[in-house]
Amino acid sequence: MDPKQATRLSKFLSLHLRHTPAAIGLTLQEGGWVGVTDLLAASAVHGMPISQDELTEIVTGSDKQRFAFDADGTRIRAQQGHSVEVDLQLLPAVPPAVLYHGTAPAALPAIRREGLQKMKRHHVHLSPDAETARRVGARRGPPIILTVDAAALLAAGVVFYESGNGVWLVEAVPPAYLREA
Ligand code: HQG
């Protein structure tokens, strides 16, 4: 598929599998799943026809593994990043001792004051390595990389979840657990 078309379809899927399923007549099932047939039909009706092959290419070819099929391939979901209320049924997991968060200079004063907040998403997103965090931060300008003392947060009782694509999710990170790299 032409990369521009892949990006266009991927953005459409992100929008409706994370944020506005109802806008194309979908309801996310428990776990954030929707039927593949329902999704393809709804997309076509709403001006974005996607073939089964294109969908498979987006799911398997996405650099960030944004989407996943279920075991028998009949349902699809976004792995993380939702703003709609959904229980992704993620299991608590033990994170690496250090995690990273990439952000923008403009957010720093507030982050120093309040720590990392989940803002519009369900969780704060943390990266397993500094390079990934740099890329996340660079979406908003020159990136700032923060180091998160995940071991200390875990010891303090904070629950960590790992999304299917290697993003670590937490409710919040207080300023005491952050260091500016
Ligand atoms: C910042 C993309 C002010 C936070 C990426 C970030 C990632 C605060 C922004 C994934 C704050 C929220 C997630 C506070 C945090 N005051 N600003 N107290 N606490 N912030 O997009 O982590 O392409 O919701 O630093 O690659 O940037 O969607 O989160 O700048 O993996 O698959 O508030 O989204 O993946 O922004 O990105 P976001 P994020 P996808």
Side-chain angles (χ1 to χ4, degrees):
M1 201 186 335
D2 156 42
K4 273 203 185 128
Q5 173 69 352
T7 302
R8 190 162 152 265
L9 296 184
S10 178
K11 288 196 166 166
F12 178 86
L13 293 174
S14 285
L15 178 65
H16 297 300
L17 293 178
R18 290 171 170 176
H19 306 298
T20 56
I24 58 168
L26 294 174
T27 307
L28 302 190
Q29 302 162 13
E30 210 171 319
W33 300 103
V34 302
V36 168
T37 314
D38 296 341
L39 172 66
L40 297 183
S43 301
V45 167
H46 289 85
M48 190 72 68
I50 308 174
S51 70
Q52 173 74 55
D53 284 352
E54 285 174 326
L55 189 66
T56 305
E57 194 176 325
I58 290 164
V59 173
T60 56
S62 157
D63 49 344
K64 296 174 71 180
Q65 302 289 302
R66 287 191 179 88
F67 314 104
F69 290 119
D70 66 1
D72 65 7
T74 57
R75 298 186 303 165
I76 182 173
R77 73 173 176 185
Q79 305 246 54
Q80 31 73 204
H82 301 75
S83 59
V84 283
E85 200 45 59
V86 61
D87 176 4
L88 289 180
Q89 302 173 318
L90 298 169
L91 294 175
V94 174
V98 175
L99 288 168
Y100 302 86
H101 181 85
T103 189
L108 261 188
I111 292 174
R112 285 184 186 134
R113 257 191 337 265
E114 316 162 355
L116 293 174
Q117 303 290 332
K118 54 191 178 177
M119 313 307 281
K120 292 194 176 116
R121 306 208 192 224
H122 281 193
H123 296 96
V124 172
H125 288 222
L126 302 175
S127 306
D129 56 83
E131 175 50 29
T132 305
R134 195 194 58 72
R135 276 202 303 276
V136 172
R139 293 179 304 150
R140 300 195 161 85
I144 304 281
I145 316 293
L146 302 173
T147 306
V148 177
D149 189 346
L153 269 177
L154 185 73
V158 168
V159 180
F160 285 78
Y161 301 93
E162 190 182 11
S163 73
N165 59 346
V167 176
W168 286 89
L169 305 168
V170 284
E171 193 61 29
V173 179
Y177 298 87
L178 292 170
R179 247 187 338 105
E180 291 166 37

